[in-house]
Structures are given as C-alpha cells and as structure tokens.
Amino acid sequence: QRENAQGGAGPGMKLGRAALGLLLLAPLAVRAVEPISLGLALAGVLTGYIYPRLYCLFTECCGQKRSLSREALQKDLDSKLFGQHLAKKVILNAVSGFISNPKPKKPLTLSLHGWTGTGKNFVSKIIAENIYEGGLNSDYVHLFVATLHFPHASNITLYKDQLQLWIRGNVSACARSIFIFDEMDKMHAGLIDAIKPFLDYYDHLDGVSYQKAIFIFLSNAGAERITDVALDFWRSGKQREEIKLKDMEPALSVSAFNNKNSGFWHSSLIDRNLIDYFVPFLPLEYKHLKMCIRVEMQSRGFEIDEDIVTKVADEMTFFPKEERVFSDKGCKTVFTKLDYYYD
C-alpha cells in the first residue's frame, strides 16, 4: 500500500513493517521461541497479510478498491460529458453519496434514459472508472446487453435462473459489484422482475447482502418525452440549462412505465419504487457535437483542427426537420466520421 498524502504510513503499512521487522529479528528470537511456533507465526504473517497484498499488487482485488473521489468524478463528468447538466448533477450526488455511506439501506439503482449517443453508456464508463481502476474491464463490473445476452423470449425461464445465479455469485465475491444493463427497453419484463429481489430493502437474501452493489439501467424509453420538454424550452427562448429535474422526472417515469413496447411495461421495479433515480439525457445540439469531436481529437493525440471539427459536425443530421435543433445520433457516430480525416 502507498503512504498517505501527509507522508506518514497507514495502519497497513505499519503492520507490513512490523512483519518485516519480525523476519529480520527472527534469528535473535529463535532461542526464546520454539522453532515450530516461530514458523507458524511467520506463516500467519505471510499468508494473512503479506501474501494477499503482494498478490493484489499484480492483479485487481475487491478489497483493494480505491475510495471514490467526488472531485475526480466531477472533473470527469465536466470534461467528458456535454450538454447534460441534469445527468451530471444527479450522477455526482447519487454515486458519491452512496459510496461514502458505510451502511446503505439498499443497492444504488440508476435508470438512465435518452436517445442513442447522448452519453448514457459514457456515464456508465465514467462511474466504473471512478470506482475501479479497470473500469468496464474490471472483474467487478458486469455489462449485460439485452439483445445479445437475452435474445430469445422462449428462454426467459432459463435466463432468469442464470441471471439470478450470476448476480448472487458476483456479489458474494465482491459486495461492491456494479451491474450495467443496456437496452433495458428491449428486455422482457419478466426478466427485469427477476432482478427485483436484489434491489429491495433486504439486509440479506439467503445469506448474501446486496446493499453495497450498484445497478445501472440504460434505456431509450422516455426519450421522446425528454425531447418534447427540451424542444418546448428551446421554442420558448429558454436556455436548456434552465430545465430542472422536476420538469422531467415525473413524466419520464410514467412514460417508461406506460410504454407497451418497453421492457419496463408491468415491471415492478417502478411500482415498488426500487429505482432510486430516473436520469434524463437531453438531445444534443450542434455545439455539443463539436465539443465531442475536440475531445476525441485530443484523446487520439491530435491537435485540435477547427476546420475538421466543423466539417465533421456539419455532416451530422438534425431534427425536427424544419428547425434542425438536435442531433439525431448524438455523439455516437462522430468518432467514425473523424476516422475519415485521419485515415
């Protein structure tokens, strides 16, 4: 482990040094301690402290997770997520508050709603990276895509059993597991309800506590309603930053629940109030696309070329047809379009 910022050593470092001292002093202590007792003591130190921590230097360990920094999370959201003042505020407060709570009453459950390319997947990535160094590649972060992992309605019963066993097994291995479900609006409602027990206010289920886990649902459900609100504000001459969560959240939850084409239809996640936050993602405007392009250029090691930024943004399509206010694909395709200029 590292020494703390003040230059001192934490309890773990002190114990490690004590163990090292014990090893160095071992020859002097042989006469005073039975050889087998000394061997057992040293083995206990090695296996109980030194070995796990050496092991965790080379691979990811659940118990070694870093504490989330609210400032670092806010910096990531500010520098990488554009046009989403509502989502930034909700995500920052919800995630940082949950992680800092040593005894949460239930798992954190976030439901992210909006059109493709508005940043839902990106926010999931940011959350994962701020909790685990491996981000989405961490052994403790699990991504499910409805159309990929649960494609056949005829196999719902099998999917339910597999999903419940998977969640139980992973939370048993690491209480702070993160589960991300993409295309939630395409998931069978019965399968969604199979997740319900893990999200409720239970101390334990069959000996396992799920209260420190995080569930993130991504969905297009409610996107039309979100766009309607954003468009109303634009037509009335108001800034999108004037949109409040109260303008979105009630209509969004009802929209998601009442859409018969959505997996949320008849889902008890909503009527049992198991979703902690409905997070709306607004449709992106022309200026937000240019922000995405600039960041992508920088991430590829290129200097920002405003001519290319404008050319790529101008190739995108917008809606409504007459006003052309919002990008219909968000930032999702600007990256492939950028490839054309740097091929």
Side-chain angles (χ1 to χ4, degrees):
Q1 295 187 12
R2 298 179 180 176
E3 294 190 353
N4 60 29
Q6 285 70 36
M13 180 64 76
K14 293 177 181 176
L15 180 57
R17 289 174 178 168
L20 181 60
L22 179 60
L23 289 171
L24 295 175
L25 294 172
L28 302 177
V30 168
R31 295 176 183 176
V33 182
E34 290 293 329
I36 189 169
S37 300
L38 178 62
L40 288 174
L42 292 176
V45 170
L46 288 171
T47 58
Y49 176 79
I50 297 177
Y51 174 74
R53 281 151 182 80
L54 286 175
Y55 176 79
C56 292
L57 289 176
F58 301 100
T59 188
E60 186 179 42
C61 294
C62 177
Q64 199 189 27
K65 58 185 177 296
R66 58 186 180 183
S67 58
L68 180 138
S69 165
R70 180 184 174 92
E71 291 73 21
L73 177 58
Q74 182 166 15
K75 182 179 179 181
D76 276 352
L77 291 170
D78 288 341
S79 62
K80 299 175 182 178
L81 184 67
F82 307 116
Q84 305 297 351
H85 66 286
L86 294 176
K88 285 181 183 180
K89 182 178 180 180
V90 175
I91 295 297
L92 179 64
N93 291 334
V95 175
S96 60
F98 180 77
I99 295 296
S100 65
N101 183 356
K103 293 183 179 180
K105 298 296 184 182
K106 68 180 292 296
L108 175 63
T109 308
L110 305 172
S111 189
L112 315 186
H113 296 259
W115 291 125
T116 299
T118 53
K120 302 187 301 297
N121 292 88
F122 204 53
V123 161
S124 302
K125 180 174 181 289
I126 290 173
I127 293 172
E129 289 174 347
N130 275 268
I131 296 177
Y132 291 110
E133 290 187 5
L136 293 178
N137 294 320
S138 168
D139 290 338
Y140 310 114
V141 178
H142 314 283
L143 173 64
F144 301 91
V145 181
T147 54
L148 176 64
H149 295 103
F150 316 110
H152 306 296
S154 58
N155 292 336
I156 291 300
T157 301
L158 174 62
Y159 294 152
K160 283 183 180 180
D161 293 340
Q162 291 177 335
L163 183 57
Q164 289 181 331
L165 286 172
W166 182 257
I167 293 174
R168 175 182 170 82
N170 281 289
V171 174
S172 297
C174 183
R176 185 74 77 192
S177 291
I178 301 174
F179 300 93
I180 303 169
F181 292 84
D182 198 3
E183 299 183 342
M184 196 72 169
D185 48 315
K186 297 180 177 66
M187 190 178 293
H188 192 280
L191 188 56
I192 297 176
D193 285 341
I195 306 170
K196 180 178 69 68
F198 305 116
L199 309 181
D200 218 328
Y201 291 83
Y202 297 123
D203 290 338
H204 293 85
L205 279 175
D206 296 329
V208 179
S209 173
Y210 299 88
Q211 293 170 320
K212 291 187 177 181
I214 297 176
F215 291 80
I216 304 174
F217 302 139
L218 315 181
S219 173
N220 290 340
E224 291 183 3
R225 177 58 184 151
I226 294 171
T227 298
D228 288 342
V229 174
L231 197 55
D232 287 343
F233 270 71
W234 181 84
R235 285 171 174 165
S236 63
K238 298 179 181 178
Q239 298 294 318
R240 66 191 284 128
E241 288 74 20
E242 295 181 60
I243 300 174
K244 305 297 183 185
L245 194 59
K246 65 181 180 180
D247 299 316
M248 292 285 188
E249 195 169 33
L252 178 57
S253 60
V254 171
S255 174
F257 181 77
N258 287 335
N259 184 355
K260 293 185 179 182
N261 296 318
S262 166
F264 281 109
W265 176 247
H266 286 161
S267 170
S268 59
L269 298 189
I270 295 175
D271 58 15
R272 289 285 301 275
N273 295 315
L274 297 181
I275 295 177
D276 299 305
Y277 301 92
F278 288 93
V279 187
F281 282 71
L282 305 174
L284 300 183
E285 299 174 13
Y286 180 83
K287 62 183 179 182
H288 303 127
L289 298 190
K290 298 183 83 171
M291 293 176 182
C292 292
I293 298 167
R294 293 187 189 104
V295 169
E296 181 63 14
M297 281 182 172
Q298 290 177 321
S299 70
R300 298 187 187 190
F302 301 126
E303 290 187 10
I304 295 176
D305 186 326
E306 289 298 336
D307 288 339
I308 294 179
V309 171
T310 299
K311 288 177 181 178
V312 173
D314 287 345
E315 291 176 11
M316 306 300 290
T317 54
F318 297 82
F319 71 97
K321 186 175 181 180
E322 297 77 17
E323 292 131 314
R324 302 185 75 250
V325 182
F326 303 124
S327 169
D328 59 359
K329 294 184 176 66
C331 286
K332 194 160 190 175
T333 61
V334 299
F335 309 130
T336 55
K337 290 185 179 296
L338 196 58
D339 291 338
Y340 173 82
Y341 295 94
Y342 291 102
D343 190 0

